[in-house]
Structure formats: C-alpha cells, structure tokens
C-alpha cells in the first residue's frame, strides 16, 4: 500500500494514506541498504494493528531539497517531492542578502521553483526598497512582502500554491515560518514564540518537519530554522572565484597596501564602478580574508601575535569611544 510521509521524528514517522493516518517505523533493512524516508516522500507500507504501520520502501522522488550536513559534511535530504520553496526572510535583523543567495542556489540545485517571502512588512515603513534589493539577486523568482502577523499581502501566497502541489517553507529561526503556516491553515497548528530583541533570532519554535493539508488545496511543509546552510556544490567555488578575481585586481592597484575602500588608484573600486564587481562581493571578500587570516594565525606565532595586537587596538578604540560617550552624558 502507498502512503505519504507527513512527519519525521527520531524513531518514527506519521504517514498518510488518503483519510487514514498511521504511526510508522522502518524495516531493519533501512539501516544498511535503503534511503531513510523524509517528509514529503511516498512510501510503500504494511499496516499493523492499533494505527501502526511499517514502511517497506521509499518510492522514487521527483525532487529532493538536499543540503550538506553541518556535522558530517555529507548530503542531507531536508524534504522530498516538493514543487515550490517559499524562502522566508524577515524585514528585521533577519534580512540578509548573502544568506538569501544561498537559499536561492539551494533551490536551483534542487531543481525546485523558489518564491521569496519577505515577512514582517509591518516592521518597516516602506518595503519597496527591500523588494528592489531582493529582486536584484532573485533572478526569475517572485518576491512578495507580507505580514503574517497582520495578514497584509498574505492572500498573494495562495496564488502560488496549486491544488495538487506541495510547498516547503525554508528560512532562519524567527523569520515567521510558523506564523505563516498558521495563517495559511487559518488555524493555530504551530506554536509561535517571539524573537530576541538584540538580534531578531528565533527560539526554534518548530522542532521537526511537518506537512499540512491546506484548506484551499495543496500541501504545506513547515521546517525548523536552519543556522547552517551548507550547499552540496557550487557555492565554495563561486566564493573562491570572486576572491581570486579581487586578489588579481589588487595587483593592479596604485599602492601595494591598498585597502580597497577609499584608496587612490584602486583597481578593485574601478571594477565596481564598471559593474565587473558588486559592493557586496567586495564586502564578502573582506570578510573571507579576515576569516582566512584568523585561521592561519592559529598555526603561525607571528600571525597570532599580529591578530592579538589588532584585537587589542580595536578594544582600546572601543573603550575610548565608550568613555567619551559617558563623559558627554555626564556633561
């Protein structure tokens, strides 16, 4: 008999066969031979007693959203047989174009259509600037600014879900995936918690992947927020390509110690003016270079000393700034 995996837990699964629901486990052969089921999978099962079942086989997948495991580095399937990914990003401190590009690349690698959902539009006066920034990197993906809290713009999402299709919500903790799920279901199925005020990070309200049948037709999969989004291929190469391009351009700068920020005769800044590079790529380059220098300093005493010296200078400058601010307040 055929069913679909609606929930995945550590030791068991919830599967649906039309109007019947079972709590299922897998045959022992899965531990040595087969691919374990994921939410969205179609499976063959054997019915037992008391609403229980055993999954015998995972049927071929039409699509699979796969990332690199943060722990093992091995490919890890997130969900299967989905038609569209809703990439959810909050218009607060969660807004991050670099992370968005990684989600877009994940969708492209998975051969799944993506839609960008900019949630928490009620947090900003005008979402138009955010939409423009996102469209610059989103390619052909549609972009919607919504507020799941107030319901503003949410009806547009229904137009992106056909009766027989499955949509998965992906995004950071605190982006509002559970609130969006509840709105689309028109019911409080998922618990919702606030975010930390200092960084808008969520508290992992959703702890497991779960599929719901929408009253308007179609299926929706809610997922826990992902702190790490490792891509199977492409991203590291792209990052290294940009890094190498800027390093090559650096040899053409007028001064050897050019900081590529305001230095006269900077070839990198000229490349930005000619649209050969973007500001964000340069920012990523500076960040990546700092990270590489830090890693190298761990095994090099001289570099380690220079890194400690740099941090001391930063702390001195910060302490001086704080003292000045305190002095101004006391006046």
């Amino acid at each position: 008999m055929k069913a679909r995996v609606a929930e995945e837990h550590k030791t068991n699964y919830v599967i649906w066969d039309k109007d019947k629901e079972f709590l299922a486990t897998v045959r022992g052969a899965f531990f040595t031979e087969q691919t374990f089921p994921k939410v969205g999978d179609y499976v063959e099962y054997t019915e037992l007693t008391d609403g229980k079942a055993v999954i015998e086989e995972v049927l071929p997948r039409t699509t699979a959203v796969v990332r690199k495991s943060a722990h093992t580095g091995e490919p890890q399937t997130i969900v299967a047989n989905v038609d569209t990914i809703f990439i959810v990003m909050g218009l607060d401190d969660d807004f991050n174009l670099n992370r968005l590009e990684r989600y877009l690349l994940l969708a492209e690698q998975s051969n799944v259509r993506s839609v960008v959902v900019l949630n928490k539009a009620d947090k900003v006066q005008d979402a138009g600037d955010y939409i423009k920034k996102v469209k610059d990197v989103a390619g052909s993906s549609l972009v919607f600014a919504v507020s799941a809290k107030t319901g503003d713009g949410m009806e547009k999402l229904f137009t992106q879900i056909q009766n027989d299709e499955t949509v998965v919500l992906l995004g950071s903790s605190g982006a509002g995936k559970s609130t969006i799920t509840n709105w689309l279901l028109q019911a409080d199925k998922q618990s919702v918690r606030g975010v930390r005020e200092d960084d808008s990070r969520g508290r992992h309200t959703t702890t497991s992947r779960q599929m719901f049948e929408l009253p308007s037709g179609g299926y929706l999969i809610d997922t826990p927020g992902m702190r790490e989004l490792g891509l199977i291929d492409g991203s590291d190469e792209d990052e290294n390509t940009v890094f190498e391009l800027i390093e090559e351009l650096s040899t053409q700068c007028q001064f050897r110690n050019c900081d590529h920020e305001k230095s006269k005769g900077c070839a990198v800044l000229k490349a930005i003016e000619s649209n050969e590079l973007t500001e964000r790529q340069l920012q990523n380059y500076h960040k990546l270079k700092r990270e590489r220098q830090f890693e190298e300093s761990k095994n090099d005493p001289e570099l380690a000393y220079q890194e400690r010296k740099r941090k001391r200078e930063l702390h001195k400058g910060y302490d001086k700034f704080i003292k000045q601010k305190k002095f101004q307040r006391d006046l």
Side-chain angles (χ1 to χ4, degrees):
M1 292 184 288
K2 181 179 176 181
R4 195 173 190 194
V5 178
E7 295 180 43
E8 175 191 354
H9 301 285
K10 288 184 178 180
T11 59
N12 53 50
Y13 303 84
V14 174
I15 61 174
W16 294 344
D17 182 357
K18 298 177 183 177
D19 59 345
K20 295 185 292 184
E21 181 176 294
F22 300 95
L23 184 65
T25 55
V26 295
R27 288 288 187 198
F30 275 91
F31 293 91
T32 56
E33 300 176 6
Q34 300 192 47
T35 300
F36 277 87
K38 296 295 178 181
V39 172
D41 266 325
Y42 292 96
V43 297
E44 290 285 352
Y45 75 98
T46 298
E47 183 177 352
L48 302 178
T49 58
D50 300 324
K52 295 182 179 179
V54 174
I55 296 173
E56 306 284 356
E57 179 186 1
V58 175
L59 299 177
R61 296 164 172 164
T62 57
T63 61
V65 181
V66 182
R67 69 171 177 179
K68 186 186 297 183
S69 171
H71 302 292
T72 65
E74 295 297 317
Q76 179 186 54
T77 300
I78 303 171
V79 291
N81 300 310
V82 297
D83 301 282
T84 303
I85 296 173
F86 280 2
I87 303 172
V88 182
M89 188 164 65
L91 293 183
D92 50 12
D93 288 344
D94 182 57
F95 188 80
N96 185 309
L97 289 175
N98 291 331
R99 191 191 323 119
L100 172 62
E101 285 186 322
R102 295 180 74 81
Y103 276 107
L104 289 166
L105 185 55
L106 176 69
E108 183 181 340
Q109 290 178 353
S110 304
N111 198 27
V112 177
R113 171 177 173 263
S114 61
V115 173
V116 181
V117 181
L118 301 177
N119 191 28
K120 305 185 183 181
D122 56 293
K123 295 278 189 181
V124 298
Q125 286 188 335
D126 182 9
D129 289 340
Y130 291 94
I131 293 174
K132 184 179 183 304
K133 290 178 181 178
V134 168
K135 283 185 175 180
D136 287 342
V137 302
S140 60
S141 298
L142 295 175
V143 182
F144 297 103
V146 307
S147 171
K149 182 179 179 180
T150 66
D152 186 38
M154 287 294 293
E155 70 283 348
K156 297 175 185 176
L157 300 187
F158 282 127
T159 66
Q160 303 304 311
I161 309 173
Q162 302 301 316
N163 287 339
D164 58 345
E165 290 186 344
T166 301
V167 171
V168 60
L169 301 176
L170 296 182
S172 306
S173 297
K177 298 188 300 299
S178 295
T179 308
I180 290 173
T181 296
N182 288 340
W183 198 97
L184 293 175
L185 292 172
Q186 296 296 293
D188 291 334
K189 294 287 188 179
Q190 296 288 71
S191 61
V192 177
R193 298 177 65 184
V195 297
R196 298 195 300 255
E197 293 183 1
D198 57 343
D199 61 2
S200 298
R201 291 289 182 89
R203 296 175 173 84
H204 287 291
T205 306
T206 303
T207 57
S208 63
R209 300 175 185 101
Q210 187 173 1
M211 185 169 67
F212 302 92
E213 187 172 4
L214 294 169
S216 58
Y219 299 90
L220 180 72
I221 300 175
D222 191 10
T223 63
M226 291 187 287
R227 289 197 176 95
E228 299 290 337
L229 183 59
L231 298 173
I232 299 303
D233 62 276
S235 62
D236 292 338
E237 288 81 355
D238 292 342
E239 194 175 61
N240 288 330
T241 299
V242 173
F243 189 91
E244 290 168 4
L245 173 60
I246 294 178
E247 288 285 278
E248 182 179 347
L249 286 168
S250 298
T251 63
Q252 303 171 29
C253 291
Q254 184 174 344
F255 301 103
R256 291 185 62 184
N257 61 344
C258 181
D259 58 11
H260 313 312
E261 292 179 357
K262 295 182 180 179
S263 297
K264 182 180 178 181
C266 176
V268 175
L269 294 181
K270 286 183 180 178
I272 292 176
E273 291 176 4
S274 63
N275 296 320
E276 187 179 355
L277 285 174
T278 66
E279 288 279 0
R280 218 150 35 78
Q281 286 175 324
L282 179 57
Q283 291 171 7
N284 290 343
Y285 164 81
H286 285 307
K287 179 183 176 184
L288 183 60
K289 190 167 186 177
R290 288 194 299 269
E291 290 174 352
R292 292 184 177 183
Q293 287 173 341
F294 176 73
E295 289 299 321
E296 290 172 359
S297 73
K298 293 179 180 179
N299 300 316
D300 189 313
E302 177 60 26
L303 286 175
Y305 168 75
Q306 294 296 334
E307 180 67 16
R308 289 195 299 271
K309 183 179 178 182
R310 184 183 70 84
K311 288 184 176 180
R312 281 198 301 271
E313 293 299 322
L314 286 174
H315 284 302
K316 284 180 182 179
Y318 179 74
D319 291 340
K320 183 178 180 181
F321 172 77
I322 293 298
K323 288 177 181 178
Q324 288 176 341
K325 295 291 287 184
K326 183 177 184 301
F327 176 72
Q328 290 171 357
R329 286 198 303 269
D330 291 343
L331 290 177

